[in-house]
Amino acid sequence: MGKTQHPGPQKKAMLPAPKYWVSPIPFGLGKIKPQHIRDTMKIAWDNKDNIGYATRIITKGVCDGCALGVSGLYDQTLEGPHVCTTRLNVLRLNTMPAIPPEILHADIDELRKYDSSELRKLGRIPYPMIRRKGERKFSRITWDGAMDLIADKMKKLDPKQYSFYLTARGITNESYYVAAKVARFLGTNHIDNASRICHAPSKTALKRSIGVGASTSNYLDWIGTDVLLFWGSVASNSSPVSSKYMLEAKKKGTKIIVVNPYREPAMDKYWIPSNPESALFGTKIADDFYQVNIGGDIAFMHGIMKHWFDMEEKAYGSAINHKFVEEHVNGYEGLKKKVQEQPWEDIIESSGVSKERIIELAELLANSKNAVYAWALGLTMHSFATDNISQVANLALLRGHLGRKHAGLMPFRGHSSVQGSGEMGADPFVLPGGGWDEKNVERIEKLWGFDLPKWQGDIVGVTLENVVLPEDHERKVKLYYLSGGNFLETMPDPDFIEQALSELEIRVHQDIILNTSTLVDAKEAVIVLPAKTRYEQEGGGTSTSTERMVYFSPEITGNKNMIEEARAEWKIYLDLAKRVKPETFHLVDFADGQTIREEIAIANPDYDGIQYLKKQGDVFQWGGAWLCEDGICPTQDGRGTLIPVDIPDLNKKPEQFIITSRRGKQFNSMVYKEVDPLNGAGRYDVLMSPVDGQKLSIAEGEGIVVYNGFGVFQGTAKFVDIAKGNLEVHFPEGNYLLPRGRYEKFAGIPDYNITVTVEKAERYHARKDTQYLEKPIAELETEVG
């Protein structure tokens, strides 16, 4: 039976729905909310020197913001134009002129006075630059000079001593693919990307549960499903256009349920700027919130399943879809035994949700023919993240919510084309079209015409730790090649990261802008290479959305602020390969983007179709409308597997809190507003429950210190509707509390949650010298601004 194809964009419901309005007062006047219209006017003003080009990017290019994948102004879900502030915020990166030379070549300490947000606004990197050991400023260098330096260094090093990293910043599938191929051609498996840091557990969990590491459903499946369940996701903030789909879903009777410690205002009430009705009156998004403890999701889901098995005792088939389980699922008895062993006391304590409330959701799901389960970093940024997500898959498999319209599992991705990065082979565990199994390695070696390095490459956190290994260690990383990214503001333990970056012999920053990590010293040299944006890439490029749509984004001409010396990212990788191994370079050479796409179609059979994408608006969806269609999974026996998992022990003492990080008005680590327009929180506000504040005699707005054995964060108490015993701080400001070296056991991503103690600032400082054994921390590293 052939795969069902996506039907393309559907018409919107035309009638207004006043029952979902937030307020009859137009534009939510007087409420804390995003000022979309004002923000849009400001962005237009910022781009006034290049407004024609900015307009062409918006109307012709594939969005380089979130992973919804809007092509021009249109997508594959709803008819009509879509635009959002996330996309508008990153627009200036594509239109701005070069950094003025008097700033660019100033003393390094002058540049270090700028934070990342200010550095971003200075403009684009105009030409290759170098700063050697002991030099106080960057100096201009030719492309040949820069590339020869990097190539000569690589020739001297063991390939285990250099590492590649690619960010999520608008990089195309073509660049990911060429980087993955060139890294292996040069002999290293140390290649990693930003997408893996965020969603690797989604991939590993889905692979073991259903055999495929991608979203099984579409955004279209939200519209008309019985229940849309969001787990640890603020979809309306990270991907604002998705709120449009949520409004349509509600109009079709879909219940939207959010499972999150904090009752996120943006998932409660939101003003959708490109929908006139919502822009005026707002939209009540969530029908219900379950405020689970940080790390309490596994227990919460055990509770749902425990009640399902209780329902089954009373009436067979009242909660479990037995026909689906018998025909398509393994491991039923093992899971049932594990779930029934869990005492309700443990479930309630770990989850922080009452038995009655858990039963309420269990019965809603048991009575729902269809449900779509979507999740984001709230489930993936834990040391037990793969188990978190397999537990979500357990719910879907028991109910048969898989492989058909209005049902499925959706890892909700944050950045444009991150879905493609692993599928192109740009991480240490994968190759295009599969993993590192013998069969796939053989197939790729045959296609590429050279032997692949057979040793296991390291993940980004480990390669950074390997920088400080002893001099003679074979895995001591001495050269790091970065395509975008800022480890100082994305990785735990920023002090250590700064030390590691400065101990590298050569550090290459291939990027469009400077950031704080570019300014860190290196033992021999820091080399900066100006990259083209995706819209400048010759012959265009492709990106893959959350729902596996592969879009073609054409080359957009007419940039008034063109950076003459910038080069397409994939071309820079090829130039490097040619200089390191000129005699066999023909094995990795590509004439143009089309040639790359033709090879991608062979290397990753899922992408057969990418070679036909040639003009604006061209798109295809790999895998068809639904993966695991009709319940048949791409596993050896065609069946999904139920995975029994344990409730994790967070080692939290009664007086401690669990803290996690959240995004404000930002795009990953790029902060666009110092005050979050959704809740009025500043960057150093600590979000906490008023109940906890009262217990500690802390008043709202009071200075507090959050600390543990790894670091200290000084901020201000802000009372919000969050489950008691849980705290949230902004990322990256709160990263000082996170230790390095704690990784998820299957997928190897850093853990961004930790136990902490909270005290009033005055009490902490008064007793600091006598009572605290923590390592001394430079006073107010994260000083309140």
Side-chain angles (χ1 to χ4, degrees):
M1 190 182 134
K3 290 172 181 164
T4 305
Q5 295 304 306
H6 192 284
Q10 306 296 294
K11 282 189 164 65
K12 291 199 287 269
M14 295 318 291
L15 288 174
K19 65 176 175 177
Y20 302 127
W21 290 359
V22 173
S23 160
I25 300 163
F27 303 111
L29 293 172
K31 294 185 180 292
I32 295 176
K33 63 176 279 291
Q35 304 295 327
H36 291 125
I37 295 165
R38 197 174 66 195
D39 289 351
T40 304
M41 300 297 283
K42 184 186 177 300
I43 287 155
W45 180 257
D46 289 344
N47 288 279
K48 65 183 182 299
D49 62 334
N50 208 354
I51 200 76
Y53 187 63
T55 307
R56 283 195 291 282
I57 286 173
I58 295 288
T59 54
K60 291 184 164 59
V62 171
C63 175
D64 57 347
C66 79
L68 290 181
V70 179
S71 174
L73 291 169
Y74 302 93
D75 66 9
Q76 295 298 303
T77 304
L78 290 176
E79 289 179 354
H82 311 299
V83 71
C84 76
T85 48
T86 300
R87 186 178 187 185
L88 293 174
N89 279 329
V90 294
L91 180 61
R92 188 60 177 155
L93 295 180
N94 302 291
T95 67
M96 61 190 175
I99 303 169
E102 65 275 13
I103 296 175
L104 189 60
H105 300 292
D107 186 273
I108 195 71
D109 284 341
E110 288 302 310
L111 281 173
R112 285 174 180 156
K113 288 175 184 170
Y114 295 100
D115 63 24
S116 278
S117 177
E118 291 161 337
L119 286 168
R120 186 173 71 237
K121 289 173 188 160
L122 292 177
R124 284 178 61 180
I125 298 162
Y127 36 69
M129 301 189 300
I130 188 164
R131 191 167 71 84
R132 294 177 182 82
K133 188 187 179 186
E135 290 180 347
R136 300 294 310 160
K137 53 186 74 167
F138 283 109
S139 52
R140 189 169 180 170
I141 187 173
T142 63
W143 268 103
D144 281 339
M147 298 310 288
D148 281 341
L149 257 165
I150 304 163
D152 290 347
K153 186 69 179 176
M154 281 186 167
K155 286 180 199 168
K156 288 177 194 152
L157 295 175
D158 182 310
K160 289 179 183 161
Q161 297 182 316
Y162 48 80
S163 187
F164 290 91
Y165 174 83
L166 292 92
T167 186
R169 165 201 35 78
I171 290 179
T172 57
N173 287 326
E174 291 79 0
S175 291
Y176 283 127
Y177 182 80
V178 172
K181 187 175 181 181
V182 164
R184 274 54 182 250
F185 171 72
L186 296 175
T188 190
N189 271 329
H190 294 324
I191 178 167
D192 209 348
N193 67 77
S195 151
R196 210 196 51 74
I197 297 179
C198 297
H199 264 293
S202 300
K203 198 170 168 180
T204 48
L206 291 176
K207 276 263 192 204
R208 71 178 185 173
S209 294
I210 59 169
V212 61
S215 174
T216 69
S217 54
N218 307 290
Y219 299 118
L220 213 45
D221 293 316
W222 294 9
I223 301 169
T225 185
D226 298 320
V227 178
L228 172 55
L229 201 50
F230 278 107
W231 231 286
S233 166
V234 193
S236 48
N237 188 31
S238 61
S239 306
V241 170
S242 69
S243 54
K244 220 173 184 172
Y245 313 152
M246 293 180 220
L247 175 55
E248 287 306 305
K250 289 178 79 75
K251 286 182 175 181
K252 290 263 172 76
T254 298
K255 274 199 158 41
I256 297 178
I257 309 290
V258 179
V259 181
N260 202 47
Y262 174 30
R263 191 182 176 105
E264 281 281 357
M267 293 302 283
D268 193 8
K269 303 176 178 83
Y270 196 73
W271 282 258
I272 306 165
S274 56
N275 177 299
E277 176 190 0
S278 180
L280 275 171
F281 305 115
T283 299
K284 291 176 191 160
I285 290 182
D287 290 282
D288 207 348
F289 275 88
Y290 286 84
Q291 290 178 264
V292 69
N293 283 330
I294 297 162
D297 305 280
I298 285 173
F300 182 65
M301 290 183 259
H302 271 313
I304 291 169
M305 292 187 282
K306 192 174 176 70
H307 185 65
W308 284 353
F309 291 125
D310 289 348
M311 289 170 72
E312 285 291 318
E313 299 287 319
K314 293 181 189 137
Y316 180 83
S318 59
I320 307 296
N321 183 336
H322 290 285
K323 184 174 186 297
F324 186 88
V325 170
E326 280 157 24
E327 290 175 9
H328 301 296
V329 183
N330 298 323
Y332 179 74
E333 289 305 327
L335 178 74
K336 184 177 176 182
K337 182 172 178 288
K338 170 66 76 177
V339 169
Q340 289 184 320
E341 281 169 3
Q342 310 298 322
W344 271 110
E345 301 80 57
D346 292 1
I347 288 169
I348 293 159
E349 188 189 354
S350 175
S351 69
V353 180
S354 71
K355 182 177 177 181
E356 294 69 33
R357 288 280 284 147
I358 294 173
I359 286 172
E360 208 181 307
L361 182 55
E363 292 185 349
L364 173 67
L365 289 170
N367 295 320
S368 297
K369 182 180 173 225
N370 297 311
V372 176
Y373 304 79
W375 65 90
L377 306 189
L379 284 193
T380 65
M381 292 299 204
H382 291 270
S383 57
F384 41 85
T386 298
D387 286 350
N388 271 345
I389 291 142
S390 279
Q391 187 82 317
V392 178
N394 289 340
L395 297 180
L397 288 168
L398 287 173
R399 289 291 305 125
H401 290 154
L402 186 71
R404 57 190 165 80
K405 191 175 182 178
H406 294 147
L409 294 158
M410 181 180 277
F412 196 75
R413 294 182 173 273
H415 293 117
S416 179
S417 201
V418 290
Q419 180 66 39
S421 56
E423 290 160 355
M424 298 300 108
D427 90 38
F429 306 113
V430 299
L431 288 166
W436 272 95
D437 54 285
E438 204 176 322
K439 202 171 153 197
N440 199 40
V441 167
E442 242 171 71
R443 184 181 70 86
I444 291 292
E445 285 184 334
K446 199 172 163 197
L447 173 67
W448 285 355
F450 56 85
D451 290 341
L452 299 175
K454 298 300 188 294
W455 48 275
Q456 174 60 55
D458 285 328
I459 56 177
V460 59
V462 174
T463 50
L464 286 165
E465 286 166 32
N466 289 354
V467 175
V468 299
L469 285 171
E471 196 54 43
D472 55 355
H473 197 289
E474 66 158 5
R475 280 195 183 228
K476 181 179 175 72
V477 172
K478 297 182 178 182
L479 183 151
Y480 222 119
Y481 195 113
L482 299 150
S483 180
N486 182 353
F487 293 150
L488 280 183
E489 293 180 17
T490 50
M491 298 296 286
D493 195 353
D495 285 340
F496 168 76
I497 297 299
E498 186 163 7
Q499 180 201 343
L501 292 177
S502 65
E503 287 204 19
L504 284 158
E505 291 178 8
I506 289 198
R507 213 174 58 248
V508 182
H509 292 267
Q510 177 175 304
D511 211 334
I512 53 179
I513 52 171
L514 297 176
N515 65 50
T516 49
S517 71
T518 328
L519 309 179
V520 174
D521 294 336
K523 277 188 171 171
E524 290 174 16
V526 178
I527 295 168
V528 181
L529 304 173
K532 287 193 167 182
T533 69
R534 72 159 53 165
Y535 306 117
E536 295 165 337
Q537 187 173 299
E538 291 88 343
T542 59
S543 67
T544 311
S545 77
T546 293
E547 55 183 351
R548 300 172 277 106
M549 294 277 181
V550 185
Y551 288 91
F552 182 78
S553 190
E555 181 183 352
I556 297 172
T557 55
N559 183 358
K560 273 190 187 171
N561 293 327
M562 190 73 175
I563 305 296
E564 296 299 335
E565 289 200 43
R567 291 187 181 178
E569 307 231 19
W570 62 264
K571 289 191 168 183
I572 308 173
Y573 285 116
L574 291 183
D575 186 8
L576 178 64
K578 188 175 190 173
R579 289 167 201 264
V580 180
K581 291 188 167 181
E583 61 292 342
T584 47
F585 169 65
H586 60 279
L587 296 172
V588 291
D589 193 15
F590 289 103
D592 53 27
Q594 181 58 32
T595 327
I596 304 172
R597 289 187 281 280
E598 283 163 10
E599 187 171 297
I600 291 171
I602 303 164
N604 186 339
D606 283 336
Y607 275 72
D608 188 6
I610 194 172
Q611 67 273 40
Y612 306 121
L613 307 181
K614 298 191 176 174
K615 63 182 193 305
Q616 186 204 331
D618 283 357
V619 58
F620 88 102
Q621 183 182 37
W622 71 257
W626 309 294
L627 300 182
C628 308
E629 190 164 357
D630 300 324
I632 298 157
C633 295
T635 52
Q636 273 185 318
D637 60 0
R639 296 163 73 89
T641 302
L642 294 163
I643 311 273
V645 297
D646 291 311
I647 294 176
D649 178 8
L650 301 178
N651 299 315
K652 175 180 170 285
K653 299 187 181 87
E655 71 282 0
Q656 287 181 318
F657 291 82
I658 298 276
I659 199 163
T660 194
S661 58
R662 77 185 290 275
R663 273 56 169 173
K665 193 66 180 170
Q666 65 196 94
F667 186 63
N668 198 15
S669 63
M670 292 197 285
V671 177
Y672 282 97
K673 280 222 165 78
E674 288 302 312
V675 174
D676 186 339
L678 301 165
N679 65 359
R683 301 297 303 179
Y684 289 91
D685 279 346
V686 179
L687 306 189
M688 67 190 302
S689 162
V691 177
D692 291 325
Q694 204 174 357
K695 208 160 87 183
L696 295 170
S697 307
I698 288 168
E700 180 152 33
E702 189 173 355
I704 57 172
V705 177
V706 181
Y707 65 93
N708 56 21
F710 308 106
V712 175
F713 180 88
Q714 311 206 33
T716 308
K718 182 169 178 63
F719 295 157
V720 297
D721 189 351
I722 190 171
K724 62 181 194 296
N726 298 269
L727 304 174
E728 292 196 7
V729 288
H730 281 102
F731 164 102
E733 286 83 352
N735 288 358
Y736 284 93
L737 296 165
L738 304 170
R740 69 178 184 276
R742 287 184 359 151
Y743 299 109
E744 204 276 340
K745 61 186 172 188
F746 299 104
I749 67 161
D751 184 0
Y752 284 83
N753 308 270
I754 193 81
T755 52
V756 293
T757 302
V758 175
E759 281 196 27
K760 286 168 169 281
E762 58 193 48
R763 184 171 182 272
Y764 175 86
H765 287 298
R767 300 167 59 194
K768 188 171 172 184
D769 297 337
T770 55
Q771 285 203 280
Y772 298 103
L773 303 173
E774 279 78 21
K775 58 184 181 185
I777 300 232
E779 191 66 28
L780 289 179
E781 268 166 339
T782 52
E783 189 159 359
V784 182

